[in-house]
Amino acid sequence: MCGIVAYVGHRDACPIIIKGLKRLEYRGYDSAGIALMNGELNVYKKKGKVSELEAFIADKNVHGNIGMGHTRWATHGEPNDVNAHPHYSTSGKIAIIHNGIIENYASLKTLLLEKGHTFQSDTDSEVFINLIEDIRTTTSCSLVEAVRLALHEVVGAYAIVVLSKDDPNQLIAARKGSPLVVGVGEGEYFFASDATPIIEYTNDVIYLNDFEIAVVKDGELDIRTKEDVKQTPYIQRLELELESIEKGGYEHFMLKEIFEQPRSILDSMRGRMIAESNHLMMGGIREYENKFANAQRILIVACGTSWHAGLVAEYLIEDLARIPVEVEYASEFRYRNPIVNENDIVIAISQSGETADTLAAIELAKSKGATIFGVCNVVGSSIARATDAGAYTHAGPEIGVASTKAFTAQVTVLTLIAMMIGSKRGTIETSKLYELIAELEQIPAKVEQTLKLDKQIEEISAIYKDVTNFLYLGRGYNFPVALEGALKLKEISYIHAEGYPAAEMKHGPIALIDEHMPVVVIATKDSSYEKIVSNIQEVKARKGKVIAIVTEGDTTIPAMADHVIEIPETSEHLMPLLSVVPLQLLSYHIAVMRGCNVDQPRNLAKSVTVE
């Protein structure tokens, strides 16, 4: 959620930090700030966008070779200048930036107030830095030792960077639960919440593990655990390209990422499926192939869009592999005392690989002896490292807060998993398997064809941009797509929208339908087609406006719908990969026409790294 950038080296720190904060804007934030060491420890911070901070510091002395910056997504305390990071300690000699939540901040604050510390903000982060200062003053220890001891006192999640006026050539960072990446250059180091601010300067990174403390002093990096055990860092080479995090001529990242889906789907299949020889192979599954084949149950844990991809996987795995599947909100899973055993497989899905609720669900399932399989997009992420095995989606960086290509990449990988398990278990006929492989190979081209409907969808969007409610209906494989379409519209246009199984309309939502209610019906040719035709007739009988997503060549539904969007024909198992695309474009165009911030919708963050 919050974004962290820090630099120490031979360059001017401020331009690097400001550019890095702009790269992290997609994470969602409400204020920004920077701290620089240049004889003094100077902090500048403002409510609003990084551009407002940049204007604020334009006439300030911002030169210096060591500094840190932060974009805040408010948890404790309203968004304002005072609550923005960085935060000074009471003495003003130490400053901190912090991503995460300190759960025991209230009791710590009471204790620190009794000791004479003062607080300017309402944040838990200011408590953290005063705790560090209190330990240093009380014990006369070094700042690094004070940070280490403070980590034993705080409960919760954190990624922190600390600077001190008394140690002007030293930068201290630590993490637990919130991501922190160290970029390694020649005589310089970069710290960030993810690799996007770093890639411009170096491809060599270290992913800090939980409870690790990184200290750069006089050009040397030292990493230790909070028990003060020295670690030998593993330096990874990033494959990320700078061009992939630029807009590339598109007006918004979201539109770029929608149009990248033919490639991202293909990349998620590449090397895993060879259509010419009907071959399927996924390295992450190979070692656990028998475990999958003999699983008594598969649990899928995810949040948001990833949860919708998990629902598609439930249909796929139960249909093709005949294994019972339960799809759980990760945010609820750990709090309801779930029944998990060592014969279960848990598939954790997350675009960022840092989703706090999903990580907590993984830890709970691991404690019960389950096998954990991860599906995520970010190499080296926390979920990738916490699971027994897994598969990357290879969607490339997704900067827009509202996931688009991540969803189709996840569904692609989950489809391959279902096909592989079904083949291993013998629950899918060979002819059917080969048919699906042939159909899946054609999906990138069919998505490309679907994207050519953009102009038509923009015209439909103009008609409905000012409505206050939308209803999305689907059956079978298209029901999760209805949920995803409604979520996209809510996220970026702020229009209330709900997704429902079409048959459930009669159990309540039909009461809402009148001439002012647009109803998006995903009505492609599949085993539920006749039923969905009846559902459309029920909507039209109540004067609802129907926007129908249909299979090319359909003549029945166009005769009754107000608007028809024709997409290519494919197997119903694969239809979500096509039917979701018009819904992404519909939400995008409506949001643009309403003047919404498409890439950074209000109150949302790309990576939810706190509970």
Side-chain angles (χ1 to χ4, degrees):
M1 298 179 82
C2 305
I4 283 176
V5 183
Y7 174 79
V8 53
H10 51 81
R11 309 186 202 216
D12 207 6
C14 185
I16 293 171
I17 294 167
I18 291 293
K19 183 180 286 188
L21 293 179
K22 289 180 177 179
R23 296 255 189 245
L24 292 176
E25 284 187 305
Y26 75 93
R27 295 175 71 89
Y29 71 107
D30 47 60
S31 57
I34 189 169
L36 295 163
M37 195 80 69
N38 49 12
E40 297 292 327
L41 176 55
N42 293 311
V43 169
Y44 308 104
K45 51 188 183 176
K46 290 290 288 182
K47 176 186 176 182
K49 296 297 183 183
V50 175
S51 58
E52 294 174 66
L53 170 67
E54 197 172 16
F56 178 63
I57 64 174
D59 60 348
K60 307 289 193 300
N61 176 16
V62 291
H63 294 293
N65 303 120
I66 180 170
M68 60 188 184
H70 188 269
T71 52
R72 176 179 186 251
W73 192 90
T75 53
H76 297 78
E78 66 178 80
N80 58 30
D81 291 355
V82 174
N83 287 331
H85 294 217
H87 290 289
Y88 282 121
S89 62
T90 298
S91 70
K93 292 184 176 182
I94 315 173
I96 192 172
I97 55 176
H98 168 224
N99 182 10
I101 290 179
I102 303 305
E103 296 173 8
N104 63 334
Y105 85 100
S107 58
L108 290 172
K109 187 172 185 177
T110 299
L111 179 64
L112 291 166
L113 284 167
E114 291 173 355
K115 290 187 169 188
H117 290 269
T118 58
F119 295 86
Q120 306 303 315
S121 76
D122 302 314
T123 68
D124 54 339
S125 308
E126 192 180 6
V127 174
F128 205 154
I129 193 61
N130 275 315
L131 174 65
I132 292 169
E133 181 166 80
D134 184 73
I135 292 171
R136 188 182 193 188
T137 302
T138 302
T139 65
S140 300
C141 66
S142 68
L143 181 59
V144 175
E145 179 67 4
V147 170
R148 188 181 74 81
L149 293 173
L151 299 187
H152 287 271
E153 299 295 325
V154 296
V155 177
Y158 54 80
I160 61 169
V161 180
V162 176
L163 293 177
S164 171
K165 180 182 176 181
D166 293 338
D167 300 282
N169 298 312
Q170 177 177 266
L171 181 151
I172 304 169
R175 72 153 283 183
K176 180 214 166 193
S178 291
L180 201 57
V181 184
V182 184
V184 181
E186 293 186 11
E188 58 184 353
Y189 295 92
F190 309 80
F191 292 75
S193 297
D194 62 43
T196 53
I198 293 173
I199 189 63
E200 187 170 346
Y201 309 101
T202 180
N203 290 98
D204 294 327
V205 299
I206 300 165
Y207 292 95
L208 286 186
N209 294 312
D210 278 353
F211 305 112
E212 286 187 338
I213 305 166
V215 180
V216 177
K217 186 166 185 177
D218 299 324
E220 296 295 325
L221 174 67
D222 181 61
I223 298 178
R224 296 175 182 267
T225 67
K226 72 174 186 176
E227 282 73 36
D228 204 27
V229 178
K230 187 175 178 61
Q231 302 295 291
T232 301
Y234 171 61
I235 299 177
Q236 296 191 38
R237 190 78 175 169
L238 287 175
E239 296 180 5
L240 187 64
E241 298 292 338
L242 184 61
E243 292 77 13
S244 66
I245 57 174
E246 302 287 354
K247 288 182 182 175
Y250 287 90
E251 185 178 356
H252 298 97
F253 280 110
M254 182 181 179
L255 187 61
K256 177 194 177 195
E257 287 154 10
I258 290 171
F259 274 82
E260 284 178 338
Q261 288 177 110
R263 177 179 175 179
S264 57
I265 291 171
L266 180 63
D267 286 345
S268 294
M269 294 189 290
R270 195 186 306 277
R272 294 166 171 168
M273 186 184 82
I274 303 173
E276 294 80 2
S277 57
N278 292 310
H279 179 66
L280 293 174
M281 192 277 292
M282 192 173 290
I285 281 187
R286 188 187 310 157
E287 186 179 347
Y288 293 89
E289 196 172 41
N290 290 329
K291 188 89 174 179
F292 269 100
N294 296 316
Q296 296 179 2
R297 179 180 63 156
I298 292 176
L299 290 163
I300 296 176
V301 293
C303 299
T305 288
S306 297
W307 187 79
H308 296 155
L311 285 180
V312 177
E314 178 182 22
Y315 283 81
L316 287 163
I317 295 170
E318 290 194 343
D319 195 359
L320 301 178
R322 309 306 297 156
I323 299 173
V325 177
E326 297 176 21
V327 185
E328 302 273 0
Y329 283 112
S331 54
E332 289 293 318
F333 181 73
R334 66 184 294 216
Y335 293 110
R336 64 170 188 79
N337 194 20
I339 300 170
V340 184
N341 61 62
E342 60 185 17
N343 294 318
D344 291 332
I345 289 181
V346 174
I347 299 178
I349 311 172
S350 167
Q351 188 281 139
S352 66
E354 301 292 349
T355 309
D357 290 313
T358 306
L359 278 164
I362 288 171
E363 293 307 316
L364 175 61
K366 285 173 74 172
S367 72
K368 305 285 187 180
T371 299
I372 317 296
F373 190 90
V375 175
C376 58
N377 189 40
V378 179
V379 176
S381 58
S382 297
I383 287 176
R385 289 179 285 154
T387 50
D388 296 306
Y392 288 115
T393 54
H394 301 302
E398 188 178 64
I399 306 300
V401 167
S403 279
T404 51
K405 66 176 180 174
F407 174 79
T408 50
Q410 288 167 352
V411 170
T412 300
V413 168
L414 293 163
T415 301
L416 291 170
I417 291 171
M419 291 163 65
M420 289 182 68
I421 301 170
S423 177
K424 176 69 175 179
R425 285 171 58 85
T427 53
I428 179 172
E429 294 181 3
T430 302
S431 59
K432 179 64 176 177
L433 178 65
Y434 292 173
E435 177 188 326
L436 283 173
I437 290 173
E439 283 288 327
L440 190 54
E441 184 191 32
Q442 295 178 46
I443 287 294
K446 290 182 177 181
V447 172
E448 191 85 54
Q449 185 179 340
T450 304
L451 288 167
K452 293 177 181 178
L453 303 171
D454 182 49
K455 188 64 179 175
Q456 177 197 356
I457 295 168
E458 185 177 7
E459 292 169 357
I460 295 171
S461 301
I463 298 170
Y464 296 103
K465 65 182 177 65
D466 295 320
V467 302
T468 54
N469 296 284
F470 256 87
L471 188 62
Y472 287 71
L473 302 177
R475 282 177 176 264
Y477 284 92
N478 282 322
F479 163 53
V481 176
L483 294 176
E484 175 61 12
L487 176 61
K488 287 285 101 45
L489 191 68
K490 281 184 281 195
E491 284 180 312
I492 64 170
S493 75
Y494 319 139
I495 293 173
H496 173 253
E498 295 296 335
Y500 266 88
E504 285 294 304
M505 180 179 61
K506 294 190 288 294
H507 296 272
I510 198 168
L512 299 172
I513 294 175
D514 59 20
E515 65 272 21
H516 305 296
M517 173 68 82
V519 182
V520 179
V521 185
I522 308 162
T524 53
K525 287 283 182 70
D526 58 24
S527 56
S528 301
Y529 179 75
E530 303 300 334
K531 299 289 186 183
I532 204 106
V533 169
S534 297
N535 297 136
I536 291 173
Q537 290 171 330
E538 290 165 349
V539 173
K540 290 308 298 175
R542 288 152 182 86
K543 304 187 186 312
K545 303 296 184 183
V546 173
I547 304 167
I549 313 297
V550 304
T551 304
E552 277 181 335
D554 189 326
T555 57
T556 302
I557 293 175
M560 62 183 75
D562 297 274
H563 311 278
V564 173
I565 300 169
E566 293 190 3
I567 63 176
E569 183 178 4
T570 191
S571 164
E572 68 178 297
H573 298 85
L574 308 179
M575 186 53 75
L577 293 168
L578 299 182
S579 60
V580 75
V581 175
L583 307 188
Q584 295 169 344
L585 289 169
L586 184 72
S587 63
Y588 170 78
H589 287 300
I590 288 176
V592 170
M593 291 173 187
R594 289 168 64 89
C596 300
N597 189 335
V598 173
D599 288 333
Q600 298 166 39
R602 68 188 183 201
N603 302 332
L604 294 180
K606 182 66 177 173
S607 180
V608 183
T609 57
V610 296
E611 291 187 66

